[in-house]
Amino acid sequence: MKHYQTIYYRHRGAWTDKDSQRLNNLMNEVAKLGFRLVSTVNHSPSRDNASDETILLFFELDIPEKQ
């Protein structure tokens, strides 16, 4: 069986090393739970502000079948 999780990462302004580190930390924490990254979608700009960016991260987790 599989479990899927979607995480939205949104940032405002110019992309910095701090944003890269936050996203990396987020992905590492999700990986510790057993999820693996399946796909990403980068959506930019948002309607609110041309400098906003949203990154959608799609994760998958294999759950062993109970016998």
Side-chain angles (χ1 to χ4, degrees), residues 39-51:
S39 182
T40 62
V41 176
N42 184 352
H43 175 70
S44 176
S46 72
R47 294 181 189 166
D48 306 15
N49 184 341
S51 66

Side-chain angles (χ1 to χ4, degrees), residues 22-44:
R22 283 183 183 154
L23 185 57
N24 191 36
N25 290 344
L26 173 68
M27 292 178 61
N28 287 337
E29 290 300 315
V30 174
K32 287 178 187 176
L33 298 173
F35 285 88
R36 68 178 186 87
L37 183 65
V38 176
S39 182
T40 62
V41 176
N42 184 352
H43 175 70
S44 176

Side-chain angles (χ1 to χ4, degrees), residues 11-23:
H11 81 94
R12 295 193 163 112
W15 188 266
T16 65
D17 288 341
K18 191 173 184 178
D19 292 304
S20 294
Q21 187 61 45
R22 283 183 183 154
L23 185 57

